[in-house]
Amino acid sequence: MQRRILALAVPNIISNISVPLVSAVDTVLMGHLDSGNLAALGIVSMIFLFLYGAMNFLRMGTTGLTAQAYGRNDDTQSALTLYQALLVALGLAAVLLAAQHGLRESAFYLMNVGESYLDEAQRYFELRIWTAPAVFGLYALTGWYFGMQNALYPLIITLVVNGFNMLFSYYFVVEMHLGIEGAAYGTLLGQYGGMVLGLALLWRYRSRLVPLRLPSLLHSEALGAFLHVNRQIFIRTTVLTFVFAFFYAQAAKEGAVTLGAMILLLQFIVWFSYSLDGFANAAESIAGKYYGARDWPWFHFAIKSLFAWGIAMTLLYMFVYAVFGGTIVRLYTDQSAVIERTLPFLPYIILMPLLGFAAFIWDGVFVGMTATLALRNAVLLSAALFFVLFYLTKGIDFTYALWINFLLFFFFRGAIQTWMFWRKGKALQ
């Protein structure tokens, strides 16, 4: 079991770590220009985290359904899941592109985008929005590969996407002096390169990709089951990304320096979360496989093993943040005002992995079980607690109240999911 977990988790960790590495490169590139470019990158990236993150149900739902079909040796169902996911991905991308102007205006208003970096934010948004078809298509493809117990292909795709992204972003920003537009071009080229590769890798599975006609994909019962699972994950992910968006919007009220500090602090969360997501992705695949096969002894043993690895990863990150936290901040930016604003929050960063690790592992287990209703309810309850506590404490110290309650949001998710599983176990829905 330990080897199986690591065989799935390690490629996922390497793959996932490359994602914040791209964010780090873009942040460093903008952080060494001026605070306006850094603020624009952070706020618009948050907007896309909300827009695109809400669509991540395509990956998560596809993984759970495919893993269960894999456990039953049902090639027809696994192929159906992939085709439906790709169809939904293209439809959602078309809607987003058609509505891009209204989305931009609404998002900029809600996120309190400042006049000092409005022009940079607009230019970045107008280019980045065109990544939607590739991003959503990759959600469907990588989710399907995970469900088929293949963590290698998502790793290869992600490394190509992020390698292109970093290479082209550096070239366009540093060599071509295109500023924030250069970072957008890098992202655009990286995503479409990954999409082409992801489709090409399906060739290996050509014998298992059962041909299906369009009426079969749109059949009410089959499509209804796909949409039911994904609807709950969509609500869950929308609420989750809304909390992040709210965090950014509140930080933006305090000005570009405070927003820049919060963006840097979030990089610590991003590094940890993407690393631990490697085990969450492994949980989706393994828990889904044993759940689909109804092999309960191995199902419960897998969960215990996944939590053991999650605790080990947590202790590692707490050590790294305690020893190197200040150095990491200074690597991201050389702006003294932003550094000075960031450093007092580092003690809370050290505690973050301990508060949040359970939520990531349970997310993977719940997705593998397609217990999407429980997944949704856990986030809704946690978000409600976050908002109540923030508004009760913001009068004491606005910035600290925002940050501490944001960290507690991760703790609430893990605690509620633990209680849910303790009560119902494999009967969760």
Side-chain angles (χ1 to χ4, degrees):
M1 175 60 70
Q2 308 307 325
R3 290 180 181 177
R4 184 62 185 154
I5 289 173
L6 290 176
L8 288 168
V10 171
N12 287 330
I13 291 170
I14 297 171
S15 171
N16 290 343
I17 285 178
S18 70
V19 176
L21 184 60
V22 173
S23 175
V25 170
D26 285 348
T27 302
V28 169
L29 290 173
M30 296 302 106
H32 286 80
L33 292 179
D34 56 60
S35 60
N37 277 283
L38 179 60
L41 177 75
I43 206 81
V44 179
S45 294
M46 185 62 242
I47 291 170
F48 280 102
L49 177 62
F50 183 80
L51 290 175
Y52 291 176
M55 307 304 171
N56 195 38
F57 70 85
L58 282 167
R59 189 202 63 76
M60 299 174 74
T62 301
T63 297
L65 290 168
T66 304
Q68 291 185 22
Y70 181 89
R72 297 190 301 267
N73 294 312
D74 188 344
D75 286 347
T76 301
Q77 183 59 48
S78 65
L80 177 64
T81 301
L82 173 63
Y83 301 151
Q84 288 176 331
L86 288 171
L87 190 65
V88 172
L90 291 176
L92 289 172
V95 170
L96 210 62
L97 290 172
Q100 61 178 284
H101 179 74
L103 285 172
R104 186 194 69 199
E105 296 303 312
S106 300
F108 280 20
Y109 173 76
L110 292 172
M111 294 295 288
N112 302 308
V113 174
E115 289 291 334
S116 61
Y117 54 91
L118 177 61
D119 180 60
E120 292 92 338
Q122 286 178 335
R123 285 185 279 127
Y124 187 64
F125 184 97
E126 288 169 0
L127 289 170
R128 181 82 182 268
I129 191 70
W130 288 97
T131 61
V135 170
F136 298 168
L138 283 172
Y139 284 160
L141 288 167
T142 55
W144 191 77
Y145 288 133
F146 282 135
M148 296 298 288
Q149 313 298 297
N150 183 343
L152 179 61
Y153 281 8
L155 168 62
I156 294 170
I157 293 168
T158 307
L159 291 178
V160 168
V161 168
N162 295 331
F164 279 9
N165 194 336
M166 288 186 287
L167 178 65
F168 285 116
S169 291
Y170 179 85
Y171 175 74
F172 288 129
V173 173
V174 177
E175 301 296 330
M176 299 295 293
H177 306 290
L178 293 180
I180 199 166
E181 289 175 293
Y185 283 126
T187 302
L188 196 68
L189 291 171
Q191 293 293 339
Y192 279 99
M195 182 64 182
V196 171
L197 176 61
L199 291 170
L201 291 173
L202 286 174
W203 179 255
R204 174 191 165 184
Y205 292 93
R206 60 192 181 279
S207 63
R208 306 186 70 165
L209 290 174
V210 180
L212 296 170
R213 296 182 180 275
L214 186 61
S216 299
L217 303 184
L218 301 177
H219 186 266
S220 59
E221 185 177 349
L223 187 59
F226 179 83
L227 294 177
H228 171 73
V229 167
N230 285 289
R231 180 171 65 249
Q232 306 305 336
I233 299 177
F234 171 74
I235 295 170
R236 169 260 183 194
T237 309
T238 299
V239 173
L240 184 63
T241 50
F242 179 78
V243 171
F244 275 82
F246 177 85
F247 175 87
Y248 267 91
Q250 295 300 311
K253 290 181 178 179
E254 297 291 292
V257 172
T258 296
L259 177 58
M262 295 298 106
I263 289 169
L264 294 187
L265 288 169
L266 279 177
Q267 297 302 310
F268 289 87
I269 293 180
V270 167
W271 278 102
F272 174 72
S273 63
Y274 274 98
S275 298
L276 206 62
D277 263 346
F279 289 99
N281 295 151
E284 294 171 13
S285 300
I286 294 174
K289 174 185 173 182
Y290 290 124
Y291 187 86
R294 299 298 188 261
D295 190 341
W296 305 125
W298 280 106
F299 174 72
H300 288 288
F301 182 63
I303 293 173
K304 292 177 183 177
S305 300
L306 286 159
F307 266 91
W309 284 108
I311 291 170
M313 185 68 72
T314 294
L315 295 175
L316 173 63
Y317 267 86
M318 290 180 73
F319 172 78
V320 171
Y321 288 169
V323 176
F324 301 107
T327 302
I328 293 170
V329 170
R330 292 179 176 88
L331 285 174
Y332 272 109
T333 185
D334 56 1
Q335 297 178 48
S336 58
V338 175
I339 294 172
E340 185 178 333
R341 193 76 178 96
T342 304
L343 292 179
F345 291 89
L346 287 183
Y348 302 98
I349 282 294
I350 297 168
L351 290 175
M352 179 273 299
L354 185 63
L355 293 173
F357 84 96
F360 294 97
I361 301 297
W362 279 128
D363 279 355
V365 173
F366 282 28
V367 168
M369 296 169 62
T370 58
T372 53
L373 188 63
L375 192 70
R376 181 203 71 184
N377 290 342
V379 170
L380 286 172
L381 288 170
S382 301
L385 288 170
F386 164 73
F387 288 117
V388 169
L389 287 176
F390 170 68
Y391 282 108
L392 285 176
T393 58
K394 71 173 186 174
I396 300 172
D397 188 304
F398 181 88
T399 310
Y400 277 89
L402 179 64
W403 184 251
I404 293 171
N405 287 308
F406 183 66
L407 294 184
L408 288 175
F409 170 69
F410 292 90
F411 171 76
F412 296 148
R413 286 170 54 206
I416 291 169
Q417 288 171 306
T418 301
W419 174 74
M420 286 177 164
F421 192 83
W422 178 76
R423 284 187 67 232
K424 292 192 174 182
K426 61 180 182 289
L428 271 173
Q429 296 180 349

